[in-house]
Amino acid sequence: MTPKRRGVARLRKHLHPVRVWWNVFQEYSRGQMWTLIYTIRNRFSRRSALGTANVAVSLTSYGDRLETVHLTIESIARGRFRPKQLILWLAQNYYQGSLPPAVQRLRQRGLEVRSCEDVGPHTKYYPYVLSQTTYEYPLVTADDDLFYPSTWL
């Protein structure tokens, strides 16, 4: 091995921990980046959260998650295909008071906010099933603590 190649090998050996930390930083900053993008979009976008995909998306939120559920809804609303109906169910025993401003802005863009009885993990779909006499669209459930990719629907 030539001295030049030996030097390159030593440099790679010493740079490996830097690469590992750089990958960790990129993963962390990617989540922070989407949080910033969705917050800005929520604040300034006038684009409807609804679209032409023949589905109804239903999700529920409670407690402190109500302050961040708008990020999940914005990730759904930025999708290539957006639902014809987007419903946020709030259990009556967890929620009293006014909605956070970010959720109020989403209501203006088409989000339906409904209250319901708390039925545990079934709250995201069971009230929808009870509220419909005929089902216009198939139901898709979403979690309130994820960012969905644009190809999700």
Side-chain angles (χ1 to χ4, degrees):
M1 187 182 289
T2 65
K4 184 177 181 181
R5 285 190 180 197
R6 237 180 280 135
V8 170
R10 266 192 235 138
L11 182 62
R12 283 188 183 148
K13 178 182 170 186
H14 292 293
L15 284 179
H16 179 70
V18 173
R19 273 195 215 130
V20 169
W21 281 107
W22 178 250
N23 290 340
V24 169
F25 171 74
Q26 283 182 319
E27 284 300 315
Y28 174 77
S29 62
R30 189 173 297 137
Q32 296 297 318
M33 176 192 67
W34 284 117
T35 300
L36 178 64
I37 288 170
Y38 294 146
T39 301
I40 290 170
R41 183 173 295 203
N42 178 269
R43 183 81 177 162
F44 298 107
S45 179
R46 297 184 198 284
R47 179 183 178 199
S48 175
L50 306 178
T52 58
N54 287 325
V55 296
V57 174
S58 176
L59 68 156
T60 186
S61 191
Y62 60 92
D64 292 339
R65 286 185 177 185
L66 191 56
E67 296 297 325
T68 59
V69 72
H70 70 281
L71 300 172
T72 296
I73 297 168
E74 285 292 346
S75 75
I76 294 169
R78 84 169 178 92
R80 201 173 293 159
F81 300 104
R82 292 172 294 157
K84 281 203 174 181
Q85 192 174 20
L86 186 56
I87 307 166
L88 174 63
W89 296 97
L90 300 176
Q92 295 164 346
N93 56 343
Y94 284 115
Y95 175 72
Q96 286 94 22
S98 63
L99 294 169
V103 176
Q104 289 177 5
R105 285 190 288 272
L106 281 164
R107 282 181 82 180
Q108 294 172 355
R109 294 172 46 208
L111 173 70
E112 297 176 33
V113 179
R114 299 183 186 176
S115 65
C116 65
E117 180 184 335
D118 183 21
V119 285
H122 308 286
T123 305
K124 69 173 78 171
Y125 70 88
Y126 193 67
Y128 178 81
V129 172
L130 291 179
S131 69
Q132 303 294 314
T133 55
T134 60
Y135 300 100
E136 290 182 52
Y137 313 115
L139 179 65
V140 177
T141 60
D143 289 330
D144 66 340
D145 58 350
L146 297 174
F147 291 159
Y148 291 94
S150 61
T151 57
W152 179 65
L153 274 182

